[in-house]
Amino acid sequence: MEKQDQLLMKKQNKNLVLDIIKNKSPISRMEISKITGMSPTSITRIVHELHEQGFVRETELVTSGVGRKATLLDVYDDVLYTIGVEIDRLIVKVGIVNYIGEIISFESMTRDVTENYSDTLEKLNNCIKELMTEKDIRTEKILGIAVGLPGFIDYKNGIVKVSDQLGWKNANLANDLKKHTGFEVIVDNELKMKIVAENFMGMAKDSLNAVLVGIGSGIGSALILNGEIYRGESNNAGEIGHTVIDPTGNVCSCGKIGCLATYISEAAILADSRKVKDVQSIDDVFDSYRNGESWAINILDRTSTYIALAISNILCLYNPEVIILSGNTIKKFPEIKEAIEKKCDLYIWEPLKEKVKIVYSMFTDRGVVLGAAIQAQNTLLDLE
Ligand SMILES: [Zn+2]
């Protein structure tokens, strides 16, 4: 074996052992050896290294059947922290997350639609520093920051190519935020960050094939295929909002005609509603539905139809075990769930129906922040 390969394998083994201790603690060295197939000697060596690096500690002694004592292992939850950030049109959220994925500190700030890029970064930096001071977390303990936001993101370089919602174009966010804060920064689309949280502790926990669909002011999805985020060639895989469902339909902000978003996004629902009634916000439309106004019932019935069609198309393309629906429309208008489920039953191709679970995100408002922080850990942690 080449020296490079040996080093890589050593690193992978170490990561694997640490992951197992983190996820299955308290656990004995013997159990880790059984799970990994590595020799007890190797496990003892790796555990020793991880202990020296401050990740792993010995906890209680338990009696193992024949009267021998076995020492169990656990991780230090405060060995490091990551910072998860969500930037949306009208709100910025920040959370400090510990090594075992608990949000230990959280803050949300309003954002004015006219607020410019550098002001948002400045505010973000101040908020991060305040939260660190409040929890007495030293700079060396912070592994890095991850930001989730709506838009087309160059994930590798941390560049926001286009975010219509934020009004940003070709913004070098990873670099600029690093300059402000001094921390390493990664950037990704908000739904890709959120599905990491779903995969870590939400509705797609430990799932190998899952889809998260976001339905609200924007329409999109994120995919986990074979246990990993599926990005496609330019990180745009999952952008279902711009799949065309009617070539003779409505004009989309992207310039095409008949995109899915033009039927189910908040703006689309509002635009159609205003042809009938002078509604101020999406909440007014939902209220009109609840009052039994037929125009609102019709518009939202059509919305549920198109959502169900989108779900059935996603299932045919990716065959996931779970599809999670999230976003403001689902949150503010839970009545739509029943309609979506009924129509899914009608539209989904039989062979796919049996296996798939259609569920709703449990994260209310911290999913992106948590997922981002977990993703920062996954990406930035280098054990060597
Ligand atoms: Zn479009």
Side-chain angles (χ1 to χ4, degrees):
M1 204 189 279
E2 296 278 332
K3 188 135 198 282
Q4 272 317 85
D5 294 340
Q6 278 179 7
L7 282 174
L8 181 68
M9 204 169 149
K10 219 178 129 188
K11 201 165 156 179
Q12 281 169 344
N13 286 342
K14 202 168 176 181
N15 270 307
L16 177 67
V17 170
L18 184 56
D19 263 352
I20 291 171
I21 299 172
K22 191 172 152 189
N23 295 320
K24 297 190 187 292
S25 67
I27 186 168
S28 70
R29 290 176 177 82
M30 196 48 92
E31 277 175 87
I32 304 171
S33 168
K34 269 185 212 156
I35 295 170
T36 58
M38 285 186 249
S39 71
T41 322
S42 301
I43 298 299
T44 301
R45 177 181 51 79
I46 293 172
V47 166
H48 178 72
E49 282 176 26
L50 289 170
H51 174 72
E52 295 278 289
Q53 284 178 281
F55 284 94
V56 169
R57 64 181 163 196
E58 294 187 333
T59 55
E60 74 237 69
L61 280 170
V62 291
T63 310
S64 63
V66 281
R68 265 181 299 171
K69 299 275 189 186
T71 312
L72 298 184
L73 303 167
D74 192 1
V75 291
Y76 286 100
D77 53 15
D78 63 351
V79 59
L80 56 86
Y81 298 90
T82 50
I83 295 167
V85 174
E86 175 180 8
I87 306 178
D88 215 334
R89 214 165 87 90
L90 299 172
I91 198 160
V92 176
K93 298 173 194 169
V94 182
I96 299 183
V97 173
N98 68 14
Y99 183 54
I100 57 168
E102 292 166 340
I103 298 179
I104 59 153
S105 190
F106 183 87
E107 183 69 57
S108 69
M109 303 170 282
T110 53
R111 177 179 179 275
D112 196 276
V113 270
T114 58
E115 188 176 293
N116 70 34
Y117 178 70
S118 56
D119 286 348
T120 301
L121 262 55
E122 186 65 47
K123 224 162 75 172
L124 198 50
N125 181 45
N126 292 338
C127 179
I128 289 168
K129 297 287 149 72
E130 268 168 37
L131 290 183
M132 283 173 62
T133 310
E134 200 181 286
K135 288 284 166 185
D136 201 15
I137 296 171
R138 297 195 315 274
T139 306
E140 315 85 79
K141 285 264 185 181
I142 305 281
L143 183 63
I145 303 173
V147 186
L149 52 88
F152 167 23
I153 316 292
D154 170 357
Y155 167 82
K156 282 183 192 147
N157 299 303
I159 295 169
V160 181
K161 300 295 257 184
V162 187
S163 174
D164 288 334
Q165 286 93 330
L166 303 177
W168 296 355
K169 211 172 175 184
N170 289 320
N172 199 339
L173 182 58
N175 246 337
D176 296 338
L177 191 57
K178 187 181 175 177
K179 270 185 215 152
H180 273 80
T181 60
F183 298 125
E184 287 300 320
V185 179
I186 60 169
V187 183
D188 208 344
N189 176 273
E190 54 177 347
L191 288 178
K192 291 198 169 68
M193 293 299 196
K194 195 168 176 189
I195 201 169
V196 173
E198 296 286 357
N199 202 218
F200 174 69
M201 61 177 290
M203 298 306 288
K205 186 167 170 11
D206 299 330
S207 168
L208 286 177
N209 296 293
V211 180
L212 172 73
V213 181
I215 306 158
S217 56
I219 305 298
S221 72
L223 314 160
I224 283 184
L225 300 180
N226 298 321
E228 303 210 357
I229 296 181
Y230 181 69
R231 302 181 175 281
E233 192 54 36
S234 60
N235 206 26
N236 282 317
E239 285 297 347
I240 53 165
H242 299 289
T243 52
V244 173
I245 51 168
D246 180 1
T248 63
N250 307 325
V251 180
C252 180
S253 60
C254 74
K256 296 196 302 166
I257 301 210
C259 291
L260 175 66
T262 68
Y263 293 89
I264 63 175
S265 71
E266 273 182 16
I269 295 172
L270 269 175
D272 275 333
S273 301
R274 284 176 181 149
K275 289 173 189 166
V276 186
K277 191 176 177 179
D278 185 23
V279 286
Q280 296 303 309
S281 70
I282 195 77
D283 299 292
D284 293 347
V285 183
F286 299 149
D287 285 343
S288 298
Y289 172 94
R290 288 171 189 131
N291 289 336
E293 293 172 44
S294 63
W295 62 270
I297 293 171
N298 281 329
I299 289 174
L300 291 168
D301 180 64
R302 191 183 63 174
T303 304
S304 66
T305 299
Y306 282 123
I307 293 172
L309 286 172
I311 291 170
S312 97
N313 290 342
I314 290 170
L315 295 187
C316 283
L317 287 172
Y318 300 110
N319 191 15
E321 61 181 293
V322 58
I323 185 161
I324 308 160
L325 308 186
S326 72
N328 247 341
T329 304
I330 306 283
K331 199 163 86 183
K332 287 183 172 177
F333 185 56
E335 293 95 325
I336 202 168
K337 292 179 185 176
E338 200 189 330
I340 293 172
E341 284 162 21
K342 266 193 190 148
K343 287 170 186 174
C344 278
D345 200 43
L346 206 63
Y347 297 139
I348 296 171
W349 186 43
E350 282 299 329
L352 291 165
K353 232 185 225 175
E354 205 184 314
K355 288 281 178 191
V356 71
K357 290 184 293 245
I358 299 169
V359 296
Y360 304 93
S361 178
M362 291 186 315
F363 296 113
T364 45
D365 61 345
R366 299 182 177 194
V368 176
V369 163
L370 176 65
I374 303 286
Q375 185 68 348
Q377 233 188 66
N378 294 342
T379 314
L380 299 172
L381 181 58
D382 185 355
L383 286 173
E384 291 310 310

